[in-house]
Amino acid sequence: MRVIILDTANQVAQYAADLLLETVRKKSRPVLGLATGSTPISTYQQVINAVQAGQASFKNTTTFNLDEYIGIDDTHPQSYRHFMKHYLFNHIDIDLANTHLPMAASLDETRLVENAQDYENAIQEAGGIDLQLLGIGENGHIGFNEPTSSLRSRTRIKSLSESTIEANKRFFADGEYQPHLALTMGIETILESKHVLLLATGHKKAAAVKAMVEGPLTAMCPASALQQHAKACLVLDQDAAAQLSLKDYYVWCEKQRQELT
Ligand code: PGA
């Protein structure tokens, strides 16, 4: 795992935006894996700024999001489709027909299982994901792969853990229906991405980051599965990196890389 520790959350966002933009510029038909949550919002803003300044175009880009809540329509303000439109898609030149999230509005299990398989197929047909953006939950989840998720899991129905429901409560009004189920890419789906970029900022993520990087490979910390990925890059601010035992080593490694041309 490559661990990059930057001073501020803003620098983390800039680093991530630069990598997303580089992928979009380099590839003729880029395929990006995208994430929701608070962490990537400032990354998306930097991407929007670059696109609006004419520095990049998403015309040929296809996207696949990690997950979607089950049982709410994609026009619902708390749906992840709505989130993506609000924070990114509506402000860049992407063709909405090329933006994908798992189809999760139905409560019919058979239909949801079919939609999950369709999602896997669509990723394959697009040629796989070039760069997958990830956040990490305080409990170590990636996507909605909660602790004890199979490390071989694929896109499927997942029950959210109590801590995730609690952490996401802030987005729902008092008394508003909050889904407890999601359709999420599986851990193996994520591991098949050619390049993974995980962002973590703030002290609340420090314990999960420590478990992901320096703990054992275990379904109890789904993000630890990234230890098995050949091209996983973790970009952290100082607060999220605070519990890492080998922090000085990671900083040293990045300094050494600069000597390479
Ligand atoms: P956050 O969520 O960016 O809102 O902290 C990350 C996650 O739960 O994966």
Side-chain angles (χ1 to χ4, degrees):
M1 288 168 132
R2 181 173 176 196
V3 181
I4 299 176
I5 302 168
L6 302 174
D7 283 336
T8 65
N10 199 43
Q11 288 171 341
V12 170
Q14 189 62 61
Y15 188 99
D18 287 348
L19 202 56
L20 287 167
L21 291 163
E22 189 187 306
T23 307
V24 165
R25 288 191 196 105
K26 264 205 323 230
K27 299 252 166 190
S28 54
R29 303 209 72 79
V31 181
L32 299 178
L34 299 178
T36 52
S38 307
T39 312
I41 291 176
S42 35
T43 299
Y44 294 150
Q45 188 55 54
Q46 310 268 14
V47 168
I48 292 167
N49 295 346
V51 174
Q52 292 188 350
Q55 293 159 7
S57 168
F58 277 64
K59 277 204 173 91
N60 297 322
T61 299
T62 297
T63 65
F64 290 92
N65 264 76
L66 286 165
D67 42 25
E68 179 59 283
Y69 284 124
I70 286 177
I72 58 176
D73 198 80
D74 63 9
T75 57
H76 189 288
Q78 296 311 332
S79 72
Y80 284 166
R81 163 65 72 185
H82 186 271
F83 176 103
M84 290 308 299
K85 282 170 124 175
H86 181 76
Y87 286 108
L88 184 65
F89 299 154
N90 284 351
H91 313 286
I92 59 174
D93 60 348
I94 198 160
D95 180 349
L96 281 181
N98 295 334
T99 65
H100 305 273
L101 287 91
M103 303 273 277
S106 167
L107 283 170
D108 177 330
E109 187 176 356
T110 310
R111 178 110 170 256
L112 289 166
V113 170
E114 278 167 16
N115 292 351
Q117 186 57 52
D118 289 347
Y119 205 62
E120 290 281 336
N121 296 345
I123 293 172
Q124 294 300 323
E125 278 158 25
I129 292 170
D130 295 311
L131 175 63
Q132 175 66 57
L133 185 64
L134 293 174
I136 181 170
E138 288 169 42
N139 63 1
H141 74 199
I142 46 176
F144 274 134
N145 294 287
E146 302 287 25
T148 72
S149 284
S150 162
L151 301 182
R152 301 294 306 272
S153 51
R154 310 214 61 106
T155 304
R156 71 205 183 292
I157 300 169
K158 192 72 198 160
S159 300
L160 309 188
S161 71
E162 223 177 311
S163 72
T164 297
I165 292 167
E166 195 54 41
N168 288 353
K169 229 183 205 143
R170 66 191 193 276
F171 299 113
F172 293 83
D174 271 354
E176 187 178 12
Y177 172 69
Q178 184 183 356
H180 296 169
L181 292 166
L183 265 195
T184 181
M185 276 188 204
I187 294 178
E188 192 160 71
T189 321
I190 293 169
L191 290 179
E192 283 175 3
S193 309
K194 290 160 204 156
H195 194 161
V196 169
L197 174 66
L198 183 142
L199 312 181
T201 57
H203 66 275
K204 284 188 178 167
K205 302 294 174 67
V209 165
K210 161 93 178 150
M212 161 176 64
V213 182
E214 296 176 344
L217 171 64
T218 168
M220 284 302 284
C221 176
S224 69
L226 299 181
Q227 293 173 16
Q228 298 261 52
H229 196 288
K231 273 191 135 192
C233 178
L234 319 179
V235 189
L236 317 171
D237 70 356
Q238 291 291 347
D239 287 342
Q243 290 187 26
L244 291 172
S245 311
L246 300 184
K247 193 172 155 194
D248 292 345
Y249 173 65
Y250 310 133
V251 173
W252 161 256
C253 289
E254 286 308 306
K255 281 215 178 93
Q256 300 318 300
R257 285 176 81 110
Q258 287 166 14
E259 291 185 10
L260 301 173
T261 52

